[in-house]
Amino acid sequence: MKADKDIITLLQDQYTIEVYSSLQYMDQAAAVQKKGFDKLAQVLFAESAEEREHAEKISKRLYYFESNPGTLKVIVPPASEEVHQIFQDVLDLEKRTQEHLQECITTAEAAQDYISRDLFVELLKPTEDQIYAMEAQLKLKDILGVQNWLQTWV
């Protein structure tokens, strides 16, 4: 089945975002695990796996439309040396993802592609949950102080 070209482009873009996010989470998890923050590493490795699941769903939708994810050129910057900066990096990434997903939903509705719209809505929920969690952690860091807050992740 063929789809609207705008939908294909948005699906491909979102696929790239999900792969990028997965790789970023994986890199961050390895970096914090090396520093002894095993609890945080587990959370980040789980987030990486969730992003791969999202990429898989998008990939299946693209192949349904007789398309594919396209060529990926993903460059993931190294994880920050400061653990609290990793939380800010995740927050920034998730906010960009949220904006893109909102655009995807609007475009899919206009194209009357309700299955793709539902997929984008499904991906938006964990994105918004992650934004909430990162904002809460950064506020907690400010309340407790960096050193006390870091102890909660050991």
Side-chain angles (χ1 to χ4, degrees), residues 42-125:
Q42 289 176 348
V43 170
L44 293 171
F45 278 128
E47 288 297 326
S48 177
E50 182 178 289
E51 301 297 341
R52 284 191 307 277
E53 290 172 9
H54 296 169
E56 180 183 343
K57 289 177 181 182
I58 295 166
S59 178
K60 288 177 181 179
R61 186 72 180 152
L62 282 163
Y63 280 105
Y64 173 79
F65 285 137
E66 300 173 14
S67 186
N68 59 62
T71 303
L72 295 180
K73 294 180 182 175
V74 179
I75 299 171
V76 179
S80 174
E81 289 295 315
E82 301 295 328
V83 174
H84 66 275
Q85 184 58 47
I86 288 174
F87 281 79
Q88 186 62 54
D89 294 345
V90 168
L91 178 60
D92 294 344
L93 175 63
E94 294 293 349
K95 283 184 174 182
R96 288 191 307 272
T97 302
Q98 178 188 39
E99 288 175 16
H100 185 260
L101 286 168
Q102 290 167 339
E103 176 190 351
C104 292
I105 291 165
T106 301
T107 303
E109 283 180 351
Q112 297 183 339
D113 180 351
Y114 300 110
I115 303 300
S116 294
R117 177 202 175 276
D118 289 349
L119 174 58
F120 294 133
V121 168
E122 178 185 340
L123 299 177
L124 184 59
K125 172 74 168 102

